[in-house]
Each structure stands twice: as C-alpha cells, then as structure tokens.
Amino acid sequence: IMERILKILGSLAVILLMTSTIKTQSQIDVYATRDNQVVLNGYHYLPLNDLCDTLKLMISNPKDNPKLPHPRVINIPSLGDIYASSAIISYASDRETSYRFYIKVRNEIELAYNQLHDELARQHFNKPFKTLSQNQKNIIYDVYPKKISEAEPN
C-alpha cells in the first residue's frame, strides 16, 4: 500500500509542477485520449487506476497547495469552520475514445467524489455516507460539491 501511495504522490508532484493556473480557475482538466489514456491538466499522462486517488488529493487539497484548487473556509453549525473544495472537474474526450474507456474515466471521477463524501461522513458523523440523514448529506455536499463539466468530444 505504501508503495502505491508514494507512486501517487510522485504523480501528484509532477502535476503540481505543471499546473500554474489552477488556483484562480479551480479547474482540473481530465481528458480521455483516442488511445484510451488519461491526461490531467493537458500535460500529465496518468494510469487510469491512479486517477481516483489523484483526483481526491487535487479536489480536497489538504495542504492548501497554491497550485491546486484553493479550498474556501465555510462555517457549518454542527462542525464549525471547515475547508470546502472549490474544484471543478472539466471532463472531455477525443471523438475516437472508446465509449467503454470514456465511461471508465467518468466512473473514476464519480468514485473520487463518492470516496471523499464517505471519508468525511465517517470522520465527522462516524458512519458511512449512505446512512446519513439528508441534512447530514447536504453538509457533506457543501464541503465536497460535485462539480463536473462534460464537454462534447473533440
């Protein structure tokens, strides 16, 4: 597990070096190529199996890295001040990307948000996201809003 984490952190380090406009735009570009590869922010090719964990780090930005979407502080009465994500995932694909791969990438994006929601639910409410009340789910959605923009294939 540690080896995989280090690999992902290494991938994230490359992403951080290559992204300079993310903070102002809060945008994370995910592109599925015609060769069924994933490209982040126009520069970094990433194995599909690393996409979810890398997106989780970029969306949550736990270290408030200035080259990632800048989290904003919100006050939630039951939790106090908490960092909330400002990330927007912009997902696009090449017209020749296989539909199967397109869906796999889209599922990894969804999985990143679902895992962030579940981790926060367990951290603050001590139970899985799916068992929360609607009010508690809304709090989680305030912290990690699912903002995904999908473009027509190029």
Side-chain angles (χ1 to χ4, degrees):
I1 294 175
M2 189 57 122
E3 187 175 290
R4 181 164 161 80
I5 291 170
L6 290 174
K7 182 180 175 187
I8 291 168
L9 290 176
S11 295
L12 186 59
V14 171
I15 293 166
L16 295 179
L17 291 173
M18 296 180 170
T19 56
S20 60
T21 59
I22 291 294
K23 183 171 181 171
T24 57
Q25 296 176 358
S26 293
Q27 183 171 316
I28 301 168
D29 294 320
V30 178
Y31 186 75
T33 71
R34 72 180 69 201
D35 300 322
N36 294 332
Q37 295 182 321
V38 178
V39 180
L40 280 180
N41 294 328
Y43 299 101
H44 184 67
Y45 284 82
L46 187 71
L48 181 62
N49 61 346
D50 290 343
L51 181 60
C52 176
D53 290 333
T54 301
L55 285 177
K56 283 172 53 180
L57 287 170
M58 295 177 80
I59 293 165
S60 64
N61 192 6
K63 305 281 186 196
D64 193 16
N65 186 305
K67 294 185 179 183
L68 293 175
H70 185 66
R72 64 198 194 292
V73 177
I74 60 172
N75 184 277
I76 298 174
S78 59
L79 303 176
D81 287 345
I82 191 166
Y83 283 107
S85 177
S86 65
I88 300 167
I89 305 287
S90 175
Y91 180 38
S93 67
D94 188 276
R95 194 168 298 285
E96 295 179 28
T97 302
S98 74
Y99 181 72
R100 183 179 179 151
F101 188 74
Y102 175 87
I103 293 300
K104 283 182 179 181
V105 173
R106 183 65 168 86
N107 288 343
E108 289 295 309
I109 295 169
E110 287 286 334
L111 182 61
Y113 277 107
N114 291 344
Q115 287 182 5
L116 285 169
H117 291 164
D118 197 59
E119 290 167 10
L120 191 63
R122 290 175 190 276
Q123 179 183 356
H124 288 289
F125 300 112
N126 296 318
K127 52 187 173 179
F129 179 79
K130 66 182 179 184
T131 65
L132 297 179
S133 70
Q134 190 57 50
N135 186 46
Q136 291 171 322
K137 286 180 180 180
N138 289 340
I139 289 170
I140 301 296
Y141 290 139
D142 287 343
V143 176
Y144 292 122
K146 229 183 245 190
K147 297 180 183 175
I148 304 169
S149 168
E150 290 190 57
E152 290 292 320
N154 298 334

